[in-house]
Amino acid sequence: MGTTLRWPLAVACLALALAPACAGDQDGAPPARAATSTATGAGSPGGAATTGPSPAATGRTAASPHWKLFAGARLGGAAALLDVAASGPRDAWAVGYKDGAEDSEGRPALQHWDGTRWTETPEGAGDAGRLLGVSAAGARDVWVVGAGDSPYAAHWDGTRWTPRHPYGVAEEYVLSDVAAHGGHAWLAGRNTTQGVITEWTGRGFRNALRADGYFTAVTATTGHVWAVGNDAAAPDAQGGPMIWHGSAVSGTAIQSWQRARTPAIPGGVLRGVWTAGPDDVWAVGAVTAPGGGPRTPRTPLVLHWDGLAWRSVEVPVPGGALDGVTGSGPGDVWISGVDADHSGQALFLHFDGTGWSRSYGPLVREHREGQQYEESDDVRRTGIARVPGAGGLWAVGSVGAGDEEDDFILRHR
């Protein structure tokens, strides 16, 4: 990244900080039983050991036959896909950036799946430096958000993309995620001092919530919105996991916001959230050991709301970071991320309502002698989406660092 980074893009980099740098069990193995700690417990979630990448972390491990690399639109330069959403078997969207370099933030990337192939759709990418979030409430109701010299949002109505400016000409905001539902959209991010949640009402934007800390992800269902992130007072502070819940007092309009009581986990940042119902919500991320830095060890973080309390959930991966979460119901929850011991392959965790199993995608890039960066064959970031009505999954991400970063798409069938 260039040294003349403006503030919004610096926070966009922070939004990717669970990846290795801003510069186990296989399918069919016995699932690990789900375990929870108390809602107010401290330390590593579930007591898991904190481990960092080893020099051989990218060594190949057996890949699940159900996850296959899938050809997307060719993106030039350093490129990454950071989020994916699907409204059906013939409609999915993936967002990220392309044409990046050591001295350039690159340009936004937006791809569309039409049931046959992925194609790039630059008309929706706008002037964002990169797109960070996408949400599809339907084939005619898709939102993307991103960061550049000013915050960027755009809406797809099935015919064309319409750029939106939730903060006018203000530049001190960055948007990291969006959730579309019922003709509304909830935009998550922060300004220079606080986390912000902004609602698109169908007619215009309104400020829904401002809170100390910053928001990284948001999800919405009828009468409920969940927003997650970190409660740090400054972007470079450690803080801990933060969750806010917006609910409808009467009808479906979100009228009340409350901060959830979460386990005290210093260094914990939540990067994804998904809800199967008002009493079944999952949030995922990582816990970073004190000290910071691109190679600081991280521990996967999973929190679950059961209608009574948020509790830490132990998963069968001791080190790494989790980025995305999706599913079709209480007995079908999928999480994507990176296992520190096998960082050359995307990690997938599945909860079947009783226990956890883990699987891996194929090795994305072979290790090469003399490669430019130690992380050149590491998966940096993943996103995951369930395909409604089809039972499949899409996953996207990036591998490598700096000039050698490249995007990838995986399909699960």
Side-chain angles (χ1 to χ4, degrees):
M1 292 195 171
T3 57
T4 58
L5 206 62
R6 293 195 179 186
W7 188 90
L9 285 179
V11 177
C13 179
L14 175 66
L16 305 177
L18 293 186
C22 220
D25 302 62
Q26 315 306 324
D27 280 8
R33 298 289 297 179
T36 60
S37 67
T38 61
T40 56
S44 298
T50 302
T51 12
S54 69
T58 55
R60 188 191 302 270
T61 188
S64 164
H66 300 293
W67 285 105
K68 303 290 187 182
L69 282 167
F70 204 92
R74 187 171 182 83
L75 303 179
L81 291 174
L82 306 176
D83 197 13
V84 61
S87 69
R90 295 178 177 84
D91 185 59
W93 298 86
V95 300
Y97 57 89
K98 63 179 181 178
D99 295 333
E102 287 289 350
D103 58 351
S104 171
E105 292 299 328
R107 298 186 294 144
L110 176 62
Q111 296 194 34
H112 179 245
W113 167 255
D114 62 5
T116 302
R117 60 176 182 162
W118 286 93
T119 55
E120 193 172 5
T121 57
E123 65 272 13
D127 58 358
R130 56 187 59 187
L131 296 176
L132 301 177
V134 58
S135 179
R140 298 182 177 181
D141 188 10
V142 181
W143 282 85
V144 297
V145 297
D149 289 341
S150 61
Y152 179 80
H155 178 251
W156 171 254
D157 63 4
T159 302
R160 65 180 181 275
W161 284 97
T162 302
R164 302 290 186 185
H165 303 283
Y167 313 108
V169 297
E171 296 183 356
E172 66 272 16
Y173 290 84
V174 61
L175 294 172
S176 55
D177 196 23
V178 60
H181 182 78
H184 291 234
W186 304 87
L187 286 61
R190 68 165 296 147
N191 57 28
T192 54
T193 59
Q194 291 181 307
V196 295
I197 301 295
T198 303
E199 179 189 6
W200 169 258
T201 65
R203 296 184 176 182
F205 292 101
R206 75 173 188 93
N207 174 50
L209 174 68
R210 293 178 182 267
D212 291 341
Y214 59 92
F215 292 111
T216 57
V218 61
T219 190
T221 60
T222 301
H224 296 273
V225 176
W226 298 90
V228 304
N230 181 277
D231 64 6
D236 57 350
Q238 190 175 45
M242 179 175 71
I243 301 173
W244 281 81
H245 177 214
S247 59
V249 177
S250 60
T252 59
I254 304 300
Q255 300 167 316
S256 173
W257 287 89
Q258 290 185 326
R259 178 168 176 175
R261 185 181 181 188
T262 60
I265 305 174
V269 179
L270 296 170
R271 286 290 305 126
V273 60
W274 175 78
T275 175
D279 298 333
D280 190 2
V281 187
W282 296 86
V284 303
V287 182
T288 302
R295 305 299 291 176
T296 301
R298 293 176 171 86
T299 301
L301 173 61
V302 178
L303 300 181
H304 180 246
W305 168 254
D306 61 6
L308 298 175
W310 282 95
R311 295 182 171 89
S312 296
V313 177
E314 185 176 348
V315 292
V317 180
L322 306 176
D323 301 309
V325 56
T326 188
S328 63
D332 183 38
V333 180
W334 285 87
I335 297 172
S336 66
V338 180
D339 180 346
D341 289 331
H342 304 289
S343 57
Q345 298 166 253
L347 164 71
F348 299 100
L349 300 173
H350 182 239
F351 182 66
D352 64 5
T354 302
W356 293 93
S357 60
R358 63 176 171 174
S359 59
Y360 298 88
L363 193 70
V364 181
R365 177 182 287 169
E366 296 282 353
H367 178 84
R368 295 164 295 169
E369 291 297 327
Q371 61 189 29
Q372 185 176 5
Y373 303 99
E374 183 180 355
E375 303 87 2
S376 289
D377 51 340
D378 284 354
V379 172
R380 290 189 58 199
R381 174 71 192 271
T382 63
I384 190 169
R386 190 79 182 184
V387 181
L393 296 157
W394 286 109
V396 300
S398 73
V399 60
D403 293 340
E404 295 188 337
E405 186 178 15
D406 201 5
D407 62 291
F408 65 84
I409 297 176
L410 297 172
R411 188 176 187 179
H412 183 279
R413 301 189 71 170

